[in-house]
């Protein structure tokens, strides 16, 4: 099922933990549609480059299996961890942060000088809520503002 022009329900609910059901509720599906439409905006901001989804929606069982907190925006269908081929996580964060778009959080996660890492991007958990526009870094040193 296509949620937007470039993003499908299948890719936003994909998990390597296939032993667990990762089917969103109607409310979570509505959030995934909002997220997919927001990812279209992110794609445009980044020059139309492909966006690869590492992880988006996570049921409680999947979220527990990956060791994430139950307060994660992935649980509500409002967050995705992404990679953009040809761009470093820093370039992705800078592109999103400098654009005038309504992100809730953009987080450079576990990027290293030799490569790797990804970018967490989210929308507010509630329709029409004001986005926090938080830009952060999470890595072995902890969590801190993106500078």
């Amino acid at each position: 099922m296509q949620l937007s022009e470039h993003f499908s329900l299948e890719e936003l609910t994909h998990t390597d933990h296939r032993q667990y059901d990762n089917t969103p509720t109607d409310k979570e599906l509505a959030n995934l549609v909002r997220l997919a439409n927001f990812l279209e905006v992110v794609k445009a901001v980044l020059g139309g480059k492909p966006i690869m989804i590492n992880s988006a929606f996570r049921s409680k069982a999947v979220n527990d299996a990956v060791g994430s907190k139950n307060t994660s925006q992935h649980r509500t269908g409002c967050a995705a961890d992404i990679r953009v081929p040809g761009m470093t996580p820093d370039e992705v964060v800078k592109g999103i942060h400098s654009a005038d778009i309504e992100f809730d959080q953009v987080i450079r996660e576990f990027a290293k000088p030799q490569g790797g890492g990804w970018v967490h991007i989210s929308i507010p958990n509630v329709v029409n809520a004001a986005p926090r526009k938080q830009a952060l870094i999470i890595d072995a040193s902890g969590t801190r503002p993106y500078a």
Side-chain angles (χ1 to χ4, degrees), residues 7 45 57 85 108 114:
F7 300 97
V45 162
F57 174 73
R108 189 192 78 192
Q114 65 272 23

Side-chain angles (χ1 to χ4, degrees), residues 7-86:
F7 300 97
S8 69
L9 179 61
E10 180 180 25
E11 68 186 312
L12 294 180
T13 58
H14 172 79
T15 179
D16 290 338
H17 297 278
R18 293 185 185 103
Q19 69 271 32
Y20 302 115
D21 181 25
N22 202 39
T23 305
T25 64
D26 288 345
K27 182 177 180 182
E28 292 159 347
L29 179 58
N31 285 338
L32 286 170
V33 170
R34 286 192 310 119
L35 179 64
N37 286 311
F38 179 73
L39 289 171
E40 296 290 352
V41 173
V42 172
K43 181 177 178 65
V45 162
L46 299 177
K49 291 181 172 50
I51 294 178
M52 312 301 291
I53 309 293
N54 293 347
S55 177
F57 174 73
R58 296 183 198 141
S59 66
K60 177 157 178 31
V62 170
N63 201 59
D64 290 349
V66 301
S68 187
K69 296 177 183 174
N70 200 43
T71 56
S72 168
Q73 288 181 288
H74 290 276
R75 287 282 297 112
T76 63
C78 291
D81 294 337
I82 63 172
R83 291 174 292 111
V84 179

Side-chain angles (χ1 to χ4, degrees), residues 102-120:
E102 300 295 305
F103 67 89
D104 194 54
Q105 289 185 315
V106 61
I107 306 171
R108 189 192 78 192
E109 295 190 359
F110 302 100
K112 297 176 181 168
Q114 65 272 23
W118 59 89
V119 174
H120 169 99

